[in-house]
Amino acid sequence: MNEKLFGNHRYTLYLLLFANCGLWLAAGKAYKLLYFTLSGLLGLAILLVSIVI
């Protein structure tokens, strides 16, 4: 999807991945689902580590 809409830019890919993890996190908090919240947090942590490395 990122490649079709924005070309192959890594910053837009990071933005889409942050948004996706944020949606998982928001859904987990809204519906009080621990595994969604943990998935969102873990996804954000892995994404941040992969950007730094």
Side-chain angles (χ1 to χ4, degrees), residues 1-50:
M1 182 176 152
N2 180 54
E3 189 175 334
K4 292 276 185 191
L5 292 176
F6 305 110
N8 197 13
H9 300 292
R10 67 179 176 175
Y11 297 113
T12 56
L13 178 62
Y14 292 151
L15 183 64
L16 287 173
L17 289 171
F18 272 117
N20 188 14
C21 291
L23 287 174
W24 280 93
L25 188 60
K29 292 215 178 256
Y31 295 112
K32 295 178 179 64
L33 297 171
L34 180 61
Y35 46 90
F36 273 31
T37 306
L38 290 176
S39 295
L41 288 173
L42 187 61
L44 286 173
I46 291 171
L47 184 58
L48 286 173
V49 168
S50 71

